[in-house]
Amino acid sequence: MRAAVVTGFGEPDVFELRELPDPVPGPGQVAIDVSHAAVGLIDVFVRQGLYKDREGLPLPPYVPGLEVAGTVRALGGGVAGLRVGEPVVTLSGTGADGGYASVAVVDAAMTASLEGTGVDPASAVAAVPNAATAYLALTEVAHLGRGERVLVHGALGGLASAFPGMARDLGAAEVVGTVRRASLADARASALPYDEVVAGEELPGALGERRFDVVVDPVGGRVRTDSLPVMAPLGRMLLVGNASGDWEHTVPTNALWGGSLAMLGFSIGFYLPSHPERAASAARAALRAIGRGLVGIAVQALPLAEAAEAHRRIERGSVGGRIVLTP
Ligand SMILES: NC(=O)c1ccc[n+]([C@@H]2O[C@H](COP(=O)([O-])OP(=O)(O)OC[C@H]3O[C@@H](n4cnc5c(N)ncnc54)[C@H](OP(=O)(O)O)[C@@H]3O)[C@@H](O)[C@H]2O)c1
């Protein structure tokens, strides 16, 4: 198979396109002929070496890529409910590697069929994994209730942009997004079901008297602590990333008991492998929201050989959707 290999931690030019042996599925796994592999900020952080000491994440040389779409190529032992040739997409519980390749092997439990959904593979890999993550974070962790208000930071990012649609599907009364630069907001946010998008630097004033039951924060840094005053009593903040790269930021925990607030972390890659039984319902919820037109993320496709360019674009920021690689 063809694969884009990270040959060492460092700058994007560590990528090399290589021919590797085709991987073979073991028990409970499927091999997929990959048509589209998603690229995420987490892939960039791992390639930069930020997580090099974290157990369970790959060391060079490795093939990055958490999520793929394509067709089933072969079934491992004991796999039922999928057939060779079936169009599928995977969720993000498959480990941090293997996707940037023409063949990927993943756990069958993390594989959802696209048959009959009408969702094309590029859109599926761009939206389904993040929408499934949003569903699990909002239901199992934040316990979003019908009629509640939701605030989403970094509102147009790959992960964040799945939240307004999932929150609406779950009955949220109002969903507001924040972005770094207000000038970007109007054009790009129009495809997403936000009630309003405001500039993060104008918090908390731009939100007036509104108080939010759930805050979704994949950004971290200052916007995280600036959110505390706009949370309703018993509000829950979902900590789902650190796109700001501000790894030193700390939170004044006394503000939490004072405001009756909770901060809850969630990481799909470390959650789903221990709860594989949750994957199918999350994928169904994601596909339902996509089918309702609630998760409309823009997709940029690049050839697999341009994996380094994909990472450079993400490092520059403002991709405004998701990049997918085509092997
Ligand atoms: N918890 C999980 O299960 C999970 C799953 C997937 C991803 N993640 C994490 O979520 C984060 C986002 O990943 P992604 O793939 O969605 O990335 P992405 O598509 O690159 O989006 C990042 C977003 O954050 C915004 N941003 C970056 N720096 C900012 C700052 N200093 N202030 C305000 N906004 C800022 C960007 O805004 P601009 O457009 O202005 O650059 C962009 O909208 C990463 O930390 C990733 O590791 C977590």
Side-chain angles (χ1 to χ4, degrees), residues 213-260:
D213 305 290
V214 174
V215 174
V216 179
D217 183 17
V219 172
R222 221 192 87 189
V223 78
R224 186 163 288 169
T225 30
D226 285 354
S227 305
L228 297 174
V230 302
M231 291 173 72
L234 299 187
R236 292 85 70 200
M237 188 186 298
L238 276 169
L239 312 181
V240 288
N242 194 36
S244 65
D246 184 351
W247 299 96
E248 303 306 320
H249 186 77
T250 55
V251 172
T253 50
N254 279 326
L256 301 183
W257 71 262
S260 301

Side-chain angles (χ1 to χ4, degrees), residues 115-127:
E115 204 144 68
T117 63
V119 181
D120 68 86
S123 307
V125 80

